[in-house]
Amino acid sequence: MTRQHRVTIAYVFKTIVWPRRKLLFVGLILITVNRLTGFVLPSVSTYLLDEVLSNRNIKLLKVLLAVAAAAISVQAISSVVLTNLLSVEAQRVISILRARVQRHILMLPMKFFDDNNSGSLVARVMTDVEGVRNIIGTGVVQLVGGAISIVISFFFLVSISPLLTGCILVPIAIFWAISLKTFAFIRPIYQERSRVNAEVTSRLAETFKGVRVIKGFNAESHEIKTFERGVEQIFQNVKRSLMSVSLVTGSSVFLLQLATVGIMGLGAYLIVDNQLTVGQLIAFALYLGFIITPISQMSSIGTQLTESFAGLDRTEELLNLKTEYENEKGTTPIGTIKGDVVFDNVTFEYEPGKPILDMVSFRAEAGTITALVGSSGSGKTTIAGLVASFYKPVRGSITIDQLDLSSITPGSYRNQLGVVLQDDFLFDGTIRENILFSNRNASSIELTNAIKAARVSEFSERFQHGLDTVIGERGVKLSGGQRQRIAIARAILADPRILILDEVTSNLDSESENLIKESMTELMKGRTTFVIAHRLSTIRMAHQILVIEQGAVAEKGTHEELIELRGRYFELYTYQCKI
Ligand SMILES: Nc1ncnc2c1ncn2[C@@H]1O[C@H](COP(=O)(O)OP(=O)(O)OP(=O)(O)O)[C@@H](O)[C@H]1O
């Protein structure tokens, strides 16, 4: 076992096992009672054959039947209570852990989401924590229960016949060795399986999400082939592990039968030689079952436990990542802001050594509109991301009302921030739910005002179910302009002090264009707005225009000033006017 695993065992013990020590102690007592009562039946059979049948002792038969009935009942009851106690608790812990991991992931910085695909994150929340089941659920019952059964059975076997016991130890040792080898071989196969599964699942989800592009480019056959390759990989992986598992199962059956034949032969000889009774031989065979079954179970539980620890290891690693709220600097909550934003020589890089923004400086006064224009990839979205505190500058500073943004707790700041992005996030729910998403406590008057201001009512009223119309995944049942207006209504309802807008580039008909312009104007009123602008009408409304080129502010000023300058903005403007 690696050092990493030892750390995890200590972690698992401290955080999962120890807080439930009372429950696990009750569980252990129940397991012991359960396994002990299991031994009553084989003991009864010895007496049945050797005493009741041989001496025709009906009185003893009645006692034996009563004892057997009591034992079976206790066994059944303890088994039900055990399952309810431990398995239910394991599932409770799984739910708690899942919620904790999801909460932690959501609080991680944006960089984490840039580096991890959503499919693998889903697996980390849903699958990685499932191993808990093996640690406090059925796994531990089988492990501890199995150990108890083996020790007690071994004691009974030796007491019946040391010679016969010696004979069965050889095949058991062989079986144990085969199992250990096989499971060591299977372990990496299982690890690979969870990785491949996550990959194939997330690609499949993307295929369905991007079905419009796929059909549009007639690329179904490519997606089909990619998926076929994925399922083939899973199949090959499962095939390899199945072959190994069948080797273990096959050898266990073979060795068990070999031991049975040996015992039959040697046992019969001992009976003839009066060293053993028929009842004892039958009891011996029954006790043997109590050893073989847990041994085969325990070797596979060993693998499951290793898998569980590997999963929990990944969970622990994730939970140890610092959230945005654990930044030593960003600890001051901020009250209501005016919205004065200053970039002072801000340099930023996504990857170390590859600067994307270089010494960017500007001031956006509270309540003004700043338009970001410039060629594709110049860094406009990056500037917007920095204003939203999704990323931190590598050098230089960003201040909000003269307070350093990196010293402010992200939540208290983003409470006062609104974003309307090009490909805005709408989820599969009703129009109402999608708008209320930004402010669940909004009154119906506030909602109505937002809907009116964003010109949503103009289309929602035409729908049969109005605001309660379900819009499909990512709003597919709406037009692009309608989706934008919902996103704008959502931002109006949030009533932010600072607003980030990424204008849609897609061509809308002039009616939609006008409606969006009106709703945007409503939204921007009195808020410090940063707009990645594509429409001249928006740009002309701006109090200042920043022309961004190759990560730097190339020009700064109002529309008139920049036109007069006859520089980069003039080029962009005249180019757009031509088309
Ligand atoms: N998450 C990221 N990780 C690494 N590099 C990134 C990331 N996001 C953007 N970049 C890079 O940063 C540069 C600036 O990108 P940005 O999105 O800010 O440009 P933009 O001006 O908004 O472009 P567009 O107008 O095309 O949207 C690009 O070269 C891009 O490849």
Side-chain angles (χ1 to χ4, degrees):
M1 207 169 273
T2 63
R3 193 175 163 272
Q4 212 181 1
H5 277 140
R6 272 204 293 275
V7 171
T8 309
I9 288 174
Y11 164 80
V12 165
F13 189 80
K14 202 172 94 202
T15 56
I16 297 176
V17 176
W18 190 244
R20 293 174 179 76
R21 56 191 180 280
K22 281 189 193 145
L23 185 88
L24 283 170
F25 183 68
V26 174
L28 286 183
I29 292 177
L30 280 171
I31 296 171
T32 315
V33 169
N34 182 273
R35 295 303 152 118
L36 283 178
T37 45
F39 284 99
V40 172
L41 228 48
S43 313
V44 164
S45 63
T46 316
Y47 284 105
L48 192 75
L49 289 167
D50 293 347
E51 300 289 332
V52 176
L53 296 186
S54 313
N55 306 330
R56 300 185 171 271
N57 187 345
I58 297 298
K59 211 169 144 200
L60 182 62
L61 176 65
K62 284 180 185 158
V63 175
L64 288 179
L65 285 179
V67 170
I72 297 170
S73 310
V74 172
Q75 201 180 13
I77 293 167
S78 58
S79 164
V80 171
V81 177
L82 248 182
T83 313
N84 273 300
L85 218 61
L86 295 187
S87 301
V88 170
E89 185 61 19
Q91 292 302 330
R92 194 196 323 275
V93 178
I94 290 175
S95 309
I96 294 171
L97 266 181
R98 276 188 184 142
R100 206 164 106 200
V101 176
Q102 190 256 15
R103 189 169 52 221
H104 193 85
I105 291 182
L106 273 186
M107 290 206 283
L108 288 173
M110 199 59 88
K111 171 97 179 80
F112 176 82
F113 296 93
D114 292 345
D115 295 342
N116 291 282
N117 78 34
S118 51
S120 74
L121 294 182
V122 169
R124 299 189 85 159
V125 175
M126 299 305 289
T127 323
D128 280 358
V129 300
E130 274 189 356
V132 167
R133 213 177 23 216
N134 295 321
I135 293 166
I136 49 175
T138 44
V140 81
V141 174
Q142 285 179 349
L143 198 68
V144 177
I148 295 173
S149 295
I150 290 174
V151 171
I152 298 176
S153 310
F154 191 73
F155 169 76
F156 276 118
L157 289 180
V158 173
S159 73
I160 294 173
S161 167
L163 186 62
L164 280 182
T165 312
C167 284
I168 54 140
L169 283 183
V170 179
I172 286 178
I174 297 173
F175 170 69
W176 186 252
I178 293 178
S179 304
L180 286 185
K181 271 254 169 278
T182 316
F183 286 115
F185 171 73
I186 296 178
R187 208 169 300 154
I189 302 180
Y190 281 162
Q191 277 160 357
E192 188 193 299
R193 186 179 309 169
S194 54
R195 185 185 58 75
V196 177
N197 254 330
E199 264 174 33
V200 174
T201 318
S202 72
R203 176 66 197 229
L204 187 63
E206 273 171 18
T207 305
F208 293 143
K209 253 193 255 168
V211 72
R212 282 178 164 68
V213 179
I214 293 165
K215 282 191 183 285
F217 284 106
N218 197 25
E220 288 96 328
S221 57
H222 177 257
E223 285 308 303
I224 292 168
K225 279 206 195 84
T226 311
F227 186 65
E228 275 172 0
R229 268 201 305 276
V231 284
E232 175 66 22
Q233 249 182 309
I234 298 178
F235 167 66
Q236 290 302 338
N237 178 292
V238 175
K239 198 167 90 178
R240 273 192 294 157
S241 64
L242 275 182
M243 276 153 67
S244 316
V245 170
S246 68
L247 179 76
V248 176
T249 329
S251 66
S252 81
V253 172
F254 173 73
L255 290 166
L256 180 66
Q257 283 174 343
L258 198 69
T260 316
V261 172
I263 287 161
M264 266 163 48
L266 189 61
Y269 171 78
L270 291 175
I271 292 173
V272 172
D273 206 34
N274 281 332
Q275 290 186 44
L276 200 71
T277 66
V278 176
Q280 279 176 324
L281 181 62
I282 290 189
F284 191 92
L286 290 174
Y287 286 129
L288 189 58
F290 284 105
I291 285 195
I292 299 284
T293 317
I295 281 184
S296 57
Q297 274 176 355
M298 276 166 80
S299 51
S300 72
I301 291 165
T303 324
Q304 284 171 20
L305 279 179
T306 321
E307 253 192 288
S308 309
F309 282 127
L312 289 168
D313 220 13
R314 288 194 292 271
T315 306
E316 187 202 358
E317 190 184 282
L318 198 86
L319 291 175
N320 279 338
L321 292 179
K322 276 203 173 149
T323 66
E324 291 184 292
Y325 293 83
E326 287 167 288
N327 168 6
E328 319 68 67
K329 280 180 79 195
T331 48
T332 324
I334 193 170
T336 308
I337 56 172
K338 257 174 49 224
D340 214 9
V341 180
V342 176
F343 268 52
D344 183 17
N345 285 322
V346 169
T347 297
F348 175 75
E349 49 197 34
Y350 289 104
E351 314 282 336
K354 291 186 197 152
I356 299 291
L357 295 184
D358 185 31
M359 310 276 275
V360 171
S361 296
F362 62 85
R363 174 167 183 206
E365 277 181 45
T368 60
I369 301 171
T370 301
L372 300 165
V373 298
S375 40
S376 175
S378 57
K380 304 179 294 290
T381 312
T382 307
I383 293 181
L386 284 162
V387 173
S389 81
F390 291 159
Y391 303 98
K392 306 254 170 291
V394 179
R395 275 183 300 282
S397 70
I398 303 170
T399 58
I400 308 291
D401 298 351
Q402 279 102 49
L403 266 173
D404 192 338
L405 186 54
S406 58
S407 70
I408 301 168
T409 45
S412 68
Y413 170 62
R414 292 198 199 129
N415 245 342
Q416 307 182 59
L417 183 81
V419 283
V420 179
L421 303 178
Q422 268 210 31
D423 187 16
D424 222 316
F425 172 74
L426 298 184
F427 53 86
D428 192 3
T430 62
I431 297 177
R432 184 194 305 278
E433 285 164 351
N434 269 288
I435 297 176
L436 281 174
F437 171 75
S438 66
N439 179 3
R440 300 205 180 280
N441 303 321
S443 67
S444 60
I445 296 174
E446 285 169 321
L447 179 66
T448 315
N449 288 343
I451 287 163
K452 285 223 173 85
R455 312 289 187 266
V456 167
S457 40
E458 321 206 343
F459 65 88
S460 67
E461 276 165 11
R462 290 204 299 269
F463 294 151
Q464 191 192 349
H465 300 291
L467 287 183
D468 294 314
T469 307
V470 175
I471 60 171
E473 199 180 12
R474 287 165 300 118
V476 283
K477 295 182 185 165
L478 297 175
S479 76
Q482 290 168 340
R483 280 203 293 273
Q484 273 279 310
R485 279 183 269 162
I486 290 186
I488 291 170
R490 178 196 276 174
I492 291 178
L493 197 65
D495 192 19
R497 293 301 316 131
I498 294 180
L499 188 66
I500 293 168
L501 296 174
D502 193 353
E503 265 186 348
V504 267
T505 42
S506 54
N507 286 325
L508 299 166
D509 59 71
S510 53
E511 194 193 334
S512 294
E513 175 94 41
N514 271 336
L515 288 170
I516 290 196
K517 198 177 130 196
E518 285 171 20
S519 56
M520 287 266 241
T521 314
E522 288 279 349
L523 172 61
M524 292 190 286
K525 243 184 238 165
R527 312 182 205 277
T528 314
T529 304
F530 292 87
V531 51
I532 300 172
H534 299 287
R535 290 192 194 89
L536 277 175
S537 57
T538 322
I539 298 174
R540 296 188 80 146
M541 271 166 68
H543 299 93
Q544 70 170 341
I545 300 161
L546 302 179
V547 183
I548 311 296
E549 283 309 322
Q550 295 182 353
V553 181
E555 289 168 19
K556 191 180 343 183
T558 59
H559 173 73
E560 286 72 25
E561 286 164 2
L562 295 182
I563 288 290
E564 210 162 292
L565 199 67
R566 300 209 159 237
R568 180 73 183 125
Y569 178 78
F570 180 78
E571 256 176 51
L572 287 169
Y573 176 75
T574 42
Y575 177 71
Q576 213 176 54
C577 282
K578 265 185 233 146
I579 46 172

